[in-house]
Amino acid sequence: MRIRAFGPAVAGGIVGVLAIAAVWTMLSATNTAARFPSIPSIFDAIVDNFQSAPILSYSTFGTGGVWSNTLWTAQNVLIGVATGLVIGFATGLALARIDWFHRLGRLPIAILGTVPVLALLPFLTLWFGNSALSTNGLVIFFTAITVASTVQSSAAAAEVKYADYAATLGLSTNRTTVSVILPALLPSTIGVVRAATAFGWGFQCIAEVMGGSQGAGRLIRSFSDATQTAGAIGVLIVIGIVAVLCDALIGLAGRWIVRWNE
C-alpha cells in the first residue's frame, strides 16, 4: 500500500519539476542571462563553485564554495531548530501543566507569537553582531514560539482526554505527565518541528543575506551583487536539495519514534 501511494507522489513530483524546467527554458530563451540564465549555465555554475567560489575572495574576503556554505547554513538551521524545540517544548508543557506559570506566561507568549519574525533581525544584529547567534536567532525564536503554542494546546487536549482516567488508576500528576501527556504530544510535536525546519531555511538564508559572515545566504548575496544570477540560483537549488533530504530524515526519525501510533 505504501509503495502504491509513494509511486504517484514521485511521478507527480517529477512531472512538476519538468514543467518548471520547461517554463524556465522558454523564459531563458527570450531574456538575458542576467535575468533568466539557461539551465545548463546554472549547473555549470554549481560545478565551478562547488568547492571554492572565487567571488567570495574579492567580494567579502571569504573562503569556501557552494557546498561548505550550504553545510554551514544547514548546521545553523538544525541547531536553531533543536534549541527552539527544547525551549518551546518545556515552555508549552509548563503552560499546560503548571497553573502559576500558565497565568504568568500565557499573555507574553501570545504577544510574542504576533511579532513578525523578520522584524527581530535588526535587534539580533545589534545585540550579537554578525555571529552565528544573530543569524540563527530567527530560527530559534520561530521554532520556540511555534512549538510552545502547539505543545500547550496538545497537552491541554490530552489532559482533558486522558488525565482523569489516569487519576482513577492511581497515577500521580508527575507520573501522568511523563507516562500519558508526553507520549500524546510526540506526533504533533514532530509535525511542527518539520514545519519549523522548512521555514527555518528561509529565515536563516535571509539573515545571512542581510548580514551573515558565512553561509549560503552570504554566497547568494555575493553572486547577486556581481549579477551572476546563475550562481545565485545554483545555490538555491543545492539548498533545496539539502532541505528536502533533511526533511526526509526528520520524517523517518519521527515515524520511528511514534511507531507505536501506527
Side-chain angles (χ1 to χ4, degrees):
M1 294 297 294
R2 290 184 178 180
I3 296 177
R4 292 179 180 178
F6 185 71
V10 173
I14 293 174
V15 171
V17 171
L18 293 176
I20 293 174
V23 173
W24 188 271
T25 300
M26 289 187 292
L27 291 173
S28 64
T30 57
N31 289 272
T32 63
R35 297 182 64 187
F36 293 97
S38 65
I39 293 178
S41 67
I42 292 173
F43 284 99
D44 286 341
I46 294 175
V47 173
D48 293 341
N49 297 279
F50 194 76
Q51 295 294 340
S52 177
I55 192 162
L56 290 176
S57 61
Y58 66 85
S59 63
T60 60
F61 301 102
T63 58
V66 173
W67 182 240
S68 61
N69 281 278
T70 299
L71 288 182
W72 172 266
T73 298
Q75 170 186 305
N76 281 282
V77 169
L78 296 178
I79 291 175
V81 170
T83 305
L85 171 62
V86 173
I87 297 172
F89 194 90
T91 302
L93 188 61
L95 286 171
R97 300 292 291 169
I98 303 176
D99 289 337
W100 65 266
F101 191 84
H102 176 77
R103 290 192 296 268
L104 293 176
R106 180 178 58 178
L107 182 58
I109 294 297
I111 294 174
L112 288 174
T114 64
V115 174
V117 178
L118 295 179
L120 297 176
L121 185 56
F123 298 98
L124 294 173
T125 303
L126 177 65
W127 295 332
F128 304 109
N130 61 352
S131 64
L133 184 58
S134 68
T135 54
N136 63 7
L138 296 180
V139 182
I140 295 174
F141 176 82
F142 177 80
T143 304
I145 294 298
T146 306
V147 170
S149 301
T150 302
V151 168
Q152 179 188 3
S153 59
S154 298
E159 185 171 6
V160 171
K161 189 173 183 180
Y162 302 116
D164 290 341
Y165 181 70
T168 62
L169 297 178
L171 270 69
S172 64
T173 301
N174 291 336
R175 183 67 183 275
T176 300
T177 299
V178 173
S179 302
V180 179
I181 302 300
L182 286 181
L185 297 178
L186 291 178
S188 60
T189 302
I190 292 170
V192 78
V193 165
R194 294 182 69 179
T197 305
F199 281 99
W201 289 98
F203 292 137
Q204 181 68 29
C205 286
I206 290 173
E208 291 170 355
V209 167
M210 298 300 293
S213 60
Q214 296 185 62
R218 181 197 62 165
L219 189 53
I220 292 172
R221 183 186 68 211
S222 298
F223 280 128
S224 299
D225 291 342
T227 324
Q228 296 185 20
T229 311
I233 295 174
V235 176
L236 291 175
I237 291 175
V238 175
I239 291 174
I241 294 173
V242 174
V244 169
L245 292 176
C246 287
D247 180 71
L249 291 175
I250 294 173
L252 289 174
R255 194 174 294 113
W256 181 82
I257 291 172
V258 295
R259 59 192 182 278
W260 49 265
N261 196 37
E262 297 181 354

